[in-house]
Amino acid sequence: MHATISAADLRLAQAPVETSVSVRDLKIAYGALTVLDSLSLDVAKGEFLVLLGPSGCGKSTLLNAVAGLMDITDGEVWISGRNVTWAEPKDRGIGMVFQSYALYPRMTVAENMSFGLRIARLSKAEIAERVDRAAKLLHLTPLLNRRPAELSGGQRQRVAIGRALVRNVDVFLFDEPLSNLDAQLRAELRIEIKKLHQSLGNTMIYVTHDQIEAMTLADRIAVMKGGVVQQLAPPQEIYNRPANRFVAGFIGSPAMTFLNGALKGRAVDLGAGVTVPLDGYAFAEPARASGPAVLGVRPEHVALLPAGAGGAVAQGRFAATGTVRMIEPTGADMTLWTEIAGQPLTIRAPADLSIRVGDAIGFALDLTRASLFDADTGARL
Amino acid sequence: MTAPSASAVVARGARPRTITAGRIGLYVFLAVSALYVLTPLYVMVVTSLKSMEEIRLGGIFALPAAPTVAPWVEAWSTACTGLTCDGIQVGFWNSVAILVPSVILSVLAGAINGYALSFWRPRGANVLFTLLLLGAFIPVQVFIYPLVRISAVLGVYGTLPNIVAIHIIFGLPITTLLFRNYYAGVPVELFKAARVDGAGFWRIFLQVMLPMSTPIVIVACILQVTGIWNDFILGLVFAGRDNLPMTVQLNNVVNTTTGERPYNVHMAATILTASVPLLVYFVSGRWFVRGIAAGAVKG
Ligand SMILES: Nc1ncnc2c1ncn2[C@@H]1O[C@H](COP(=O)(O)OP(=O)(O)OP(=O)(O)O)[C@@H](O)[C@H]1O
Ligand SMILES: [Mg+2]
């Protein structure tokens, strides 16, 4: 079905797929406002699923519904083979980590982590052992007697993760756990979470609107918009074969360039006499032959041609020329703005090229990695 | 505070003018207001320390020539209220007996209400809350007769539990409002985390929310202590003869006089009655401001 096969796909293919969390025809409404409508989603055991989407699309709502913290209007939630639609949060076998840490302010780190265990009346020895283990794993041992107010943001979030960890549950739910942290801490903790997942093998559902987090952590990403899952696929497939124009524009930085045109058989006419042949493009079946279409090209899939190279490019590429309108250096790379067929085009180029605004450049679009969308519905063609 | 001449940064431009006609007017106004409030207090204190002979002879602003605490002792232990002559102390202990359970229970009930309304949001919570607030704006007198009837039917009229229950009822709107607003500033994730940890209604309240509510508990206690201590009408109506609070006893002391009025004893009794709220304000002013200011809570 898709060209690239990721590690996650292989893993799912090897073992018989065991579903860990299953959301079936979920409907959730706040009064008259329906936030989720017949949403279905299966998460495999041990999978790291990332929910990605713009603010207000219903990611937290979905996560809260899985956790049992929210009234469900219609539908079912299954966890580890049990219908938990009406079960209390504590009986669902989940642990949850929140964006705002949500640590109990009057309890020490150790008390924060053991609160749930004490409620469950575990033996003192068992509690101490679990807290110790989680504290070691998260480098919290020296902090066990501190209060949350005496911790840094990163430490607080590690305590929150530890509180979920000690519960020994199958499913972890994370609601934007890193978005209150600065960039460096975020990168550090991201790696810690990834390691944690690799060593524990729990199922994780992780909400974020940071696409780097999504791409680096996920086995599969569910891209959401307006309460609807737009695409559910491994990160590479989301990146290479976005299911629609929204997903294409949401993933990738700098964002994909969209060129308006008309489909003419196996080519797209961008106007101004520019017709781009799509020989290398993998059309979805059944292939459409005409109608308004949008050609999506990622800035990193446009290559600058050396001066004087002429129009000779490899199969599946399309060469054109343009004038540099604007340059934005971003460290290792720079982003160039030019035009093709009168429409703006973004190019990502190495930062060490000596190109200035106003220069004439030649470039080639890699059409094997381009995307083509229906201009009206936005669906991939 | 030292001369800034050596420092690198020197203020330039006109100094802010600290003395203007408006400022002077303001200070005069404040001084007059303070005088207006403090003069009676001064008169009360000096009068309470004079003997009756001295009161008869001297002016009311004069300092006591031979200060005596005899009027205070009399006010406290032997002044007559109606037929009994046990002093204002009876009222003091009655007020304490009314105050302690009323304050504890009304603050606790307000905290539970505010917590439930903020986090559990039962159906109709908003309607309930609106009604409660409306109740706070209706004059107390409107409720007195119905409450007397209800108390009588329940057979508790004129008892200590009766007056305590009445104080709890009338305290609920304000304490609920205080705690609801306080908890509105607590991130709802804290509540959710506790639920995931398996804590129920009471455990979340007692172990998570209440321990972080100290500032607002203090504010609510201050409001309730002063409000209940200063109450007259409810105590008069509902407390019954044996439990009349200090304010009512004070009124009785002042009005039960045959012959010459012992002003010094009356002044002492009044100051004694006012001393509890005064003490609360002096001791807790700092806490009060802090509690009011503590809107948001950082996790
Ligand atoms: N308590 C509530 N009452 C009414 N509407 C709500 C409530 N909570 C969320 N909503 C609405 O539901 C929709 C989805 O909210 P949700 O919190 O799930 O979004 P989100 O995807 O998590 O966004 P973000 O990335 O900003 O956290 C939004 O339109 C929001 O306005
Ligand atoms: Mg959210």
Side-chain angles (χ1 to χ4, degrees), chain A residues 64 69 88-90 98 100 102-107 115-116 119 148 163 167, chain B residues 123 187 189-190 192-199 203 207-208 211-212 298-299:
Chain A
N64 278 307
L69 293 168
E88 280 290 305
K90 70 172 160 64
F98 300 89
S100 63
L103 299 179
Y104 311 123
R106 310 295 300 182
M107 297 186 200
F115 186 56
I119 293 173
R163 189 170 59 182
R167 294 172 53 75
Chain B
R123 246 170 253 285
E189 277 85 13
L190 198 61
K192 290 180 173 176
R195 289 202 59 200
V196 171
D197 267 338
R203 194 186 292 270
Q207 295 189 8
V208 178
M212 58 189 287
K298 282 194 171 178

Side-chain angles (χ1 to χ4, degrees), chain A residues 26-28 33-39 52-62 222-231 244 246-247 250:
Chain A
L26 188 68
K27 176 175 174 173
I28 288 188
L33 174 74
T34 302
V35 177
L36 302 177
D37 204 358
S38 33
L39 187 147
L52 182 66
S55 194
C57 71
K59 307 180 296 287
S60 297
T61 305
L62 176 57
V223 182
M224 292 178 66
K225 179 197 170 199
V228 177
V229 176
Q230 305 287 318
Q231 186 171 11
N244 58 41
F246 170 77
V247 176
F250 193 73

Side-chain angles (χ1 to χ4, degrees), chain A residues 17-101:
Chain A
V17 178
E18 197 180 329
T19 308
S20 172
V21 177
S22 173
V23 173
R24 302 176 185 172
D25 280 326
L26 188 68
K27 176 175 174 173
I28 288 188
Y30 292 105
L33 174 74
T34 302
V35 177
L36 302 177
D37 204 358
S38 33
L39 187 147
S40 293
L41 190 70
D42 282 341
V43 189
K45 191 164 164 45
E47 183 176 16
F48 201 126
L49 179 83
V50 168
L51 301 177
L52 182 66
S55 194
C57 71
K59 307 180 296 287
S60 297
T61 305
L62 176 57
L63 208 66
N64 278 307
V66 172
L69 293 168
M70 177 156 287
D71 285 341
I72 292 175
T73 311
D74 204 5
E76 290 178 355
V77 176
W78 291 63
I79 295 177
S80 306
R82 278 193 314 134
N83 183 349
V84 295
T85 312
W86 305 110
E88 280 290 305
K90 70 172 160 64
D91 300 324
R92 294 185 175 212
I94 53 137
M96 194 158 176
V97 178
F98 300 89
Q99 178 180 352
S100 63
Y101 321 130

Side-chain angles (χ1 to χ4, degrees), chain A residues 18-21 42-49 79-80 93-95 169-174 197 200-206 219:
Chain A
E18 197 180 329
T19 308
S20 172
V21 177
D42 282 341
V43 189
K45 191 164 164 45
E47 183 176 16
F48 201 126
L49 179 83
I79 295 177
S80 306
I94 53 137
V169 288
D170 301 331
V171 181
F172 281 144
L173 308 174
F174 289 84
H197 178 238
L200 299 175
N202 302 49
T203 308
M204 303 223 176
I205 306 182
Y206 187 104
D219 291 327

